[in-house]
Amino acid sequence: SALQAWPGGLQVGGGINDKNAQEWLDYGASHIIVTSHVFRNGTIDYDRLEKLVQISGKDRLVLDLSCRKQPNDKDGHYYVVTDKWQQFTDFVVNAENLQHLAKYCDEFLVHGVDVEGQQCGILPDLVTLLGQASPIPVTYAGGVRSLDDLNLVQELGQGKVDCTVGSALDIFGGSLPYQAVVDWHYQQNPKPKQEDK
């Protein structure tokens, strides 16, 4: 498996719960990614969250805060959604809530659900919020279609927001060359020069 080929190099998510979390970590996952097991019945189940933290430790847990705006919310807040992104929870993605949840995990993964997989551009307001409010590492996913979008995430996220690129990549049938993204990444994160010995 990929986890055994690169132990400690990959995170795993999808169907993770307190019954199988340790197994995935033992297989070599660096982190487990969780949404629905913790966000259920429209709210956070803190008993389940705390149990997962006991199993994985805070340093190996990523909370997936896939979110979208509620149509009737006049303030334009983003709410975590579950169940194939159709069920709204009562959890608002804001500075106070991110600060609170950061006590339980090592990182946030935030899907901008309404643009995910559509190659239509990022959600600038969500990326800005994450850059301003997340006290721990955060990865944004959704809508990236070009190197300009990567640059915009870098700018709006104040250099504190990572992002994923999926269907836009040429290796997945899109038009954005994978190698161009790799090159962009190394331009943003140059390897330190090794000192002469």
Side-chain angles (χ1 to χ4, degrees):
S1 85
L3 293 175
Q4 292 168 333
W6 193 17
L10 299 172
Q11 300 176 352
V12 65
I16 305 293
N17 57 50
D18 56 0
K19 305 283 189 269
N20 63 19
Q22 188 61 56
E23 185 177 353
W24 286 110
L25 294 168
D26 291 345
Y27 280 142
S30 68
H31 294 71
I32 52 171
I33 305 169
V34 182
T35 306
S36 296
H37 184 68
V38 170
F39 289 93
R40 66 183 194 123
N41 300 324
T43 194
I44 298 177
D45 185 325
Y46 282 99
D47 289 338
R48 285 184 171 197
L49 177 56
E50 289 170 3
K51 190 167 186 180
L52 277 172
V53 173
Q54 288 174 354
I55 293 167
S56 68
K58 173 190 184 303
D59 61 329
R60 297 184 76 187
L61 180 62
V62 175
L63 288 178
D64 180 342
L65 306 179
S66 295
C67 61
R68 66 178 1 147
K69 291 181 179 180
Q70 279 197 352
N72 298 328
D73 184 337
K74 293 177 182 152
D75 295 321
H77 295 302
Y78 284 95
Y79 290 82
V80 169
V81 289
T82 61
D83 303 317
K84 299 180 183 173
W85 300 337
Q86 300 304 305
Q87 175 71 41
F88 279 95
T89 69
D90 61 3
F91 188 86
V92 177
V93 179
N94 62 24
E96 180 182 355
N97 285 340
L98 292 175
Q99 196 78 31
H100 174 70
L101 270 193
K103 299 173 190 170
Y104 296 94
C105 63
D106 191 46
E107 183 178 335
F108 296 126
L109 171 61
V110 181
H111 291 266
V113 169
D114 290 324
V115 296
E116 179 67 32
Q118 296 184 37
Q119 302 176 46
C120 60
I122 66 165
L123 295 172
D125 58 337
L126 180 56
V127 173
T128 299
L129 169 66
L130 297 174
Q132 292 172 346
S134 183
I136 60 175
V138 58
T139 298
Y140 167 83
V144 174
R145 64 189 165 195
S146 67
L147 295 181
D148 288 340
D149 286 331
L150 295 178
N151 287 325
L152 189 55
V153 169
Q154 186 80 350
E155 177 189 334
L156 297 176
Q158 303 173 38
K160 298 186 279 185
V161 178
D162 291 322
C163 68
T164 64
V165 184
S167 60
L169 292 174
D170 58 355
I171 60 174
F172 298 127
S175 61
L176 181 57
Y178 170 78
Q179 190 58 54
V181 174
V182 171
D183 293 344
W184 179 90
H185 171 76
Y186 282 121
Q187 288 171 357
Q188 303 300 313
N189 304 283
K191 292 182 181 178
K193 293 181 181 177
Q194 296 194 5
E195 296 180 24
D196 295 331
K197 293 183 179 179

